[in-house]
Amino acid sequence: MNRIFILAWRNIWRNKRRTIITIASVFFAILLALVMRSMQLGSYGHMIDTIVHSYTGHIQLHANGYWKDKTLDNSFEGSDSLTKVIESVEGISLVVPRLESFALASFSSKTKGVMVIGVDPAQENKLTDLSEKVVDGKWLTSETNGTALGQTLAKYLGVDIGDTLVLISVGYQGMSAAGVFRVSAILKLASPEMDNSFVFVPLQKAQDFYSAPGRLTSYAMLIDNNQKLAEEASDLQKILGKSHFEVMTWEQMMAQMMQQIEADNVSGLFMLAILYMIVGFGIFGTLLMMISERKRELAVMIAVGMKKTRLALVIASEVLFITLVGLCAGVAAAFPLIMYYYHHPVWLTGQTAEAMLNMGFDPVMPFALQSDFFIAQSLVILIIAFVAGIYPVISVFRITPSKDLRR
Amino acid sequence: MNVIEIKGLKKIYQETAVEVKAVNGIDLNVAQGEFTAIVGPSGSGKTTLLNLIGGLDTPTEGQVIVDGTDLGKLSSSQLIDFRLHNIGFVFQSYNLIPVLTAEENVEFIMHLQGVHKTKRQQRAKSLLTAVGLGDRINSRPAKLSGGQQQRVAVARALASHPKFVLADEPTANLDSKSTETLLEIMLKLNKEEGVTFVFSTHDQRVVQKARRVVTVEDGKVVSDIVKKNGHLHNESSETVSI
């Protein structure tokens, strides 16, 4: 076996220039693929993180039918026992209760339709980190009768800290709802839509306002690992049953965003496929040349007693060496680059940054650093090399010493 | 004792509309220890005959029996194994493996046979010394002259302790001095170690040194002359004058 590898290793360096060009093609392909993929997955991760931590959480629990018809009549009775059941599901790390509904918000002569979100201020802060988004005033506490609203909305209504905001709506089961709330905090929310319409009030005050004591419209949850999203949601749904509750993942709730990510992901993979196809043909061409110019030599080896299977192993080892050298060099070059940008993401400026801000995302291009895409891209290159090597290896079995020795 | 027995051997090629009878009914025996030259004009069937004897090609008709084994009954894989253990090959263009040194080229066959490293290194060195290349064992073929390469090829052919060595025009690409050296080595190995050589050649210097000369024309043996005690004896007829 050792001799086969020695033979293969020396063979690939017979035509140094050609081998270096082939190795370089593998090197640049894997480098480009890893960096591209890291950027793509990094930006998806950032988008998902922004979505999850700005509003939805990873999973939400609603009363059946709430997502289609978001009314307070589709709310459910929240309780400590229900919270404990949810928390008992392995992997769920945070459970946040909410009561949400629409209302008209008035101040002075301005009125605007808003989304009132009743939250447990401490729990909510763990999910959405709203206290860090306060630009004026202080984040809510459970005891205060305060409200926190987006700065665009505050600007529209002309309210300031300490002003009293009037909310009017229809409460649970058609009860009329009216209340006054002192503005405690003005927030800078990432999404322009949220910044222009969200009004946070302590949960109990919201329940009182909507005449819905103890009722909730959702539990938003965080899980430890987004990769296990579907699994966790399914586990929760199984435990709670399907008769009263619907369990939804952020992917289901943000279907449009998910489709955009998927479409972008497919286009990225398509680009990679083209790149790999070019590399595959490059490897194939090199191998074919290596075989055709050595047919006589290979015929001699068979003539003197080398089994064709062993000879095929030599050729397969040559494919493997060329690919592995390019692959290892590519991974070695990509890793520090990705590592650097993972810790120092690229901050965008100008119109691109503005566009991203308008979509509710930070103008940053983060890189992902996950072992899975390193492994996946390396495997893809190895599979391509394997496929490219099939024909040259098969051609070894077609060598006829009596004919090929005459070449 | 015959190491090679050929009975009614035919090889017919039908690559085009025309049928080519490369070997057309040859009967021939080669005994252990012979030094046999197969001669004949180009296209007479010498190389085809050697390919058939060496199991590199399969006959259309007839039998090649090497040391009691009918080569026609062996599968392609069995033939490769048979060649490895029983037949040594020397080719016109040396055909050494260019990425291996002289020693590694000789060792290569023994490696395929599964001989232990120490043993094969010892034998490779002793064979290369026997062919006068003891000081070039670490040279790759590109660093050796044509004559030296062919001597490595002879050492490689002998590495597996073959029943006989087949050489297809071994001196065709060599100058006269290299030819002489190579012939001396082959004759010495034949005399001292009893190695059986069967080779095709056009070269009169080689023919003169051969102790048996088989002439092939149009795929048939037209004469088979053995030199015995200074006399030429035609195996197919009577003794002829020297």
Side-chain angles (χ1 to χ4, degrees):
Chain A
M1 198 54 130
N2 216 6
R3 182 53 54 98
I4 283 174
F5 290 146
I6 291 171
L7 203 57
W9 180 254
R10 290 187 191 171
N11 275 334
I12 64 171
W13 298 109
R14 283 162 77 163
N15 189 330
K16 283 197 184 80
R17 194 179 300 172
R18 186 173 59 201
T19 300
I20 286 169
I21 289 171
T22 312
I23 286 173
S25 73
V26 175
F27 169 83
F28 285 113
I30 193 78
L31 177 69
L32 201 63
L34 288 174
V35 172
M36 265 174 69
R37 207 73 195 120
S38 172
M39 272 170 64
Q40 262 191 315
L41 295 179
S43 63
Y44 301 155
H46 179 67
M47 283 164 89
I48 292 166
D49 212 45
T50 305
I51 292 164
V52 165
H53 285 97
S54 65
Y55 177 59
T56 65
H58 286 110
I59 298 171
Q60 280 192 14
L61 175 75
H62 315 124
N64 262 339
Y66 174 78
W67 195 251
K68 274 190 181 170
D69 184 15
K70 294 185 186 74
T71 68
L72 287 171
D73 291 346
N74 282 331
S75 59
F76 61 93
E77 195 80 37
S79 65
D80 286 345
S81 58
L82 181 57
T83 310
K84 274 179 188 156
V85 169
I86 297 169
E87 282 171 344
S88 71
V89 177
E90 206 185 323
I92 293 180
S93 54
L94 182 69
V95 183
V96 178
R98 283 180 188 157
L99 180 73
E100 300 168 33
S101 191
F102 291 97
L104 278 174
S106 291
F107 180 73
S108 186
S109 59
K110 291 280 178 77
T111 302
K112 195 173 191 310
V114 297
M115 169 70 92
V116 175
I117 305 170
V119 296
D120 176 330
Q123 286 293 92
E124 185 69 32
N125 198 43
K126 288 180 194 168
L127 173 67
T128 49
D129 208 14
L130 286 173
S131 64
E132 291 298 312
K133 291 163 189 167
V134 173
V135 289
D136 200 2
K138 270 187 175 176
W139 176 238
L140 307 174
T141 61
S142 300
E143 293 75 32
T144 56
N145 188 30
T147 180
L149 64 162
Q151 63 178 358
T152 313
L153 177 63
K155 197 175 171 187
Y156 174 81
L157 295 171
V159 293
D160 218 332
I161 300 297
D163 289 342
T164 302
L165 192 67
V166 179
L167 295 177
I168 303 166
S169 186
V170 176
Y172 180 53
Q173 291 182 332
M175 298 287 283
S176 60
V180 287
F181 296 86
R182 191 173 159 270
V183 176
S184 301
I186 293 174
L187 312 167
K188 186 181 188 312
L189 299 171
S191 156
E193 193 189 330
M194 287 163 72
D195 205 49
N196 197 25
S197 61
F198 273 31
V199 174
F200 295 94
V201 293
L203 182 61
Q204 206 185 329
K205 308 290 177 200
Q207 286 169 334
D208 293 345
F209 170 67
Y210 283 118
S211 307
R215 298 196 74 80
L216 303 173
T217 50
S218 66
Y219 272 118
M221 289 155 246
L222 281 187
I223 59 169
D224 294 328
N225 183 0
N226 188 47
Q227 306 287 328
K228 291 185 174 174
L229 184 67
E231 198 182 315
E232 303 280 1
S234 162
D235 286 351
L236 184 60
Q237 185 78 73
K238 266 182 210 160
I239 289 170
L240 298 174
K242 284 186 177 176
S243 52
H244 299 297
F245 296 106
E246 62 185 19
V247 176
M248 294 182 77
T249 63
W250 69 265
E251 292 175 351
Q252 290 166 314
M253 291 181 281
M254 307 297 283
Q256 203 180 345
M257 176 64 72
M258 196 57 206
Q259 278 170 5
Q260 278 174 7
I261 289 177
E262 275 172 6
D264 189 72
N265 191 29
V266 168
S267 71
L269 290 174
F270 184 69
M271 291 291 285
L272 283 184
I274 292 172
L275 180 71
Y276 283 145
M277 207 161 73
I278 295 167
V279 172
F281 277 109
I283 297 174
F284 179 71
T286 301
L287 291 173
L288 218 55
M289 289 287 285
M290 282 167 75
I291 295 287
S292 68
E293 67 192 19
R294 280 161 55 202
K295 263 206 167 153
R296 185 190 170 89
E297 182 187 317
L298 300 177
V300 169
M301 290 164 105
I302 295 166
V304 299
M306 189 169 195
K307 286 251 166 73
K308 287 181 179 178
T309 44
R310 276 187 124 174
L311 199 51
L313 208 59
V314 174
I315 305 300
S317 304
E318 289 174 21
V319 184
L320 193 70
F321 286 150
I322 287 178
T323 314
L324 277 182
V325 172
L327 183 60
C328 293
V331 170
F335 185 75
L337 197 69
I338 291 170
M339 179 73 110
Y340 176 81
Y341 284 111
Y342 175 72
H343 291 293
H344 306 91
V346 180
W347 284 89
L348 303 170
T349 53
Q351 287 184 333
T352 318
E354 212 169 291
M356 284 190 77
L357 280 169
N358 286 337
M359 285 189 287
F361 299 109
D362 290 330
V364 66
M365 193 172 277
F367 280 57
L369 183 63
Q370 298 163 213
S371 58
D372 58 349
F373 73 81
F374 273 86
I375 293 167
Q377 299 306 317
S378 303
L379 278 176
V380 168
I381 285 277
L382 286 173
I383 290 167
I384 285 168
F386 174 77
V387 173
I390 289 175
Y391 180 77
V393 168
I394 286 174
S395 65
V396 167
F397 290 92
R398 291 191 186 149
I399 291 173
T400 316
S402 57
K403 204 186 280 179
D404 291 305
L405 275 169
R406 275 184 257 149
R407 281 171 183 271
Chain B
M1 185 203 163
N2 288 331
V3 68
I4 303 168
E5 290 173 56
I6 297 168
K7 295 173 186 173
L9 195 65
K10 282 187 182 177
K11 180 68 188 180
I12 301 164
Y13 293 109
Q14 187 111 42
E15 284 175 0
T16 58
V18 186
E19 197 176 71
V20 179
K21 290 175 179 171
V23 171
N24 190 16
I26 288 180
D27 294 289
L28 189 73
N29 292 330
V30 177
Q32 175 71 45
E34 278 192 11
F35 196 77
T36 304
I38 296 172
V39 299
S42 292
S44 59
K46 300 187 299 291
T47 299
T48 306
L49 179 59
L50 285 191
N51 283 345
L52 291 166
I53 296 172
L56 297 175
D57 209 347
T58 48
T60 311
E61 217 178 295
Q63 282 180 304
V64 176
I65 299 165
V66 174
D67 205 29
T69 304
D70 183 352
L71 299 192
K73 289 186 175 161
L74 300 179
S75 67
S76 157
S77 172
Q78 286 171 323
L79 266 175
I80 292 175
D81 219 35
F82 187 83
R83 289 198 298 265
L84 176 64
H85 291 96
N86 297 283
I87 308 171
F89 288 91
V90 177
F91 302 96
Q92 185 179 327
S93 307
Y94 333 128
N95 289 334
L96 299 174
I97 300 168
V99 293
L100 300 182
T101 63
E103 187 190 14
E104 288 168 338
N105 261 288
V106 178
E107 258 190 70
F108 181 70
I109 305 287
M110 291 182 277
H111 175 79
L112 295 177
Q113 286 182 315
V115 177
H116 189 266
K117 193 179 178 182
T118 322
K119 272 191 177 176
R120 60 176 197 248
Q121 278 177 341
Q122 279 172 357
R123 181 153 173 79
K125 274 177 193 156
S126 91
L127 281 167
L128 284 167
T129 308
V131 296
L133 291 172
D135 56 339
R136 304 302 302 270
I137 58 171
N138 292 320
S139 302
R140 286 201 185 180
K143 301 276 177 193
L144 299 172
S145 69
Q148 288 171 327
Q149 285 190 54
Q150 199 61 307
R151 281 189 270 158
V152 176
V154 170
R156 179 178 68 178
L158 294 170
S160 62
H161 297 285
K163 300 278 185 317
F164 60 92
V165 173
L166 283 177
D168 188 10
E169 309 220 19
T171 59
N173 292 336
L174 303 183
D175 57 34
S176 57
K177 198 180 168 198
S178 298
T179 299
E180 206 171 303
T181 311
L182 185 73
L183 277 173
E184 275 170 21
I185 289 165
M186 285 165 69
L187 280 164
K188 189 179 164 204
L189 289 165
N190 175 252
K191 268 184 198 164
E192 293 175 5
E193 295 185 27
V195 179
T196 308
F197 280 93
V198 178
F199 48 92
S200 67
T201 187
H202 274 117
D203 193 333
Q204 279 308 308
R205 293 165 299 184
V206 182
V207 177
Q208 279 167 13
K209 300 270 183 182
R211 284 199 286 280
R212 182 180 177 190
V213 179
V214 177
T215 308
V216 178
E217 270 182 37
D218 297 328
K220 289 179 178 172
V221 173
V222 292
S223 76
D224 184 356
I225 295 166
V226 179
K227 293 175 191 169
K228 280 180 185 167
N229 306 320
H231 294 280
L232 295 178
H233 176 78
N234 193 334
E235 292 283 286
S236 52
S237 57
E238 72 281 359
T239 305
V240 294
S241 62
I242 198 160

